[in-house]
Amino acid sequence: MQLHIHDVVVINCEKSSVLNVPWSVVLIDILRRTIIENAMSKEKISDSVSVLLELIEVSIHCILYARKIYPEGIFELKKKYNVPVHVSIYPKLNSYINGTLNAVKSLLKFKKLCKLDVCFYNKMGVAVERFVFNIRNVELELNLLDFSNLRDPYLVKLEQMLRAFCLKLTVCDSLLKPLPSSCTFQIHIHTTETNSIEIQKDTEEFPLIPSEKKDTILTSPAVVPMRSIDCEHLNLEIYAEEGNKDEDPDLFTPSPLL
């Protein structure tokens, strides 16, 4: 089976752009200890960006495995948030994901990331499905002077949310129609055109290239909610959009089980 790796792409819109770009591992217990230590010294910190980056990274791997566009042999089983997940060991694919996260990190630091999506295309290059990460808020600074009033000071609830998030993605294939054969995918980063220019120095190895409008259009999508995270550190949701089989029967191939 041929493995498809895409170039880096950027889409220019009227007031915003969607970036397609060609994993940073911060464990929850490390984040928890860091928050406690800084609280005791009455400092302001935030590792929410690192937590979100790891979550996006793990999610992308889970989605690619669940949607079966790559051979199972390029994935290995690992534990994240005490949940077994499949992670790619294919270097070129991982390089593409790492390049994406590098651009995402730069945008998150300035709170300039609107959303991110993983979009699947059929062999004709038509978008048939996407997973959307709608990022409402990432708290860059947590005021820990009043540590006792934090809603989740030891990040117990956050860790539970991350675990539930990953568990949902591992079964997402049961919620969606099967993808066509020979599918490819791209990762889109949504931000303003100005911000895409400002982070170019951080993405020199993976230049940002404008995408065409047709690459972001999904015909008559049906929305399938996945999971949301709402805490004082992070506020985001993920949902899937898939093409309407009734309106375009060629979008999907029938499942052999049907």
Side-chain angles (χ1 to χ4, degrees), residues 1-4 6 67-70 119-124 126 128-129 178-185 251-252:
M1 182 179 294
Q2 183 179 3
L3 302 181
H4 301 277
H6 297 275
R67 300 312 283 143
K68 300 178 175 62
I69 69 167
Y70 290 109
C119 189
F120 295 95
Y121 301 86
N122 64 17
K123 60 185 178 182
M124 302 301 294
V126 177
V128 294
E129 180 181 290
L179 286 171
S181 59
S182 303
C183 266
T184 58
F185 85 102
L251 280 184
F252 295 99

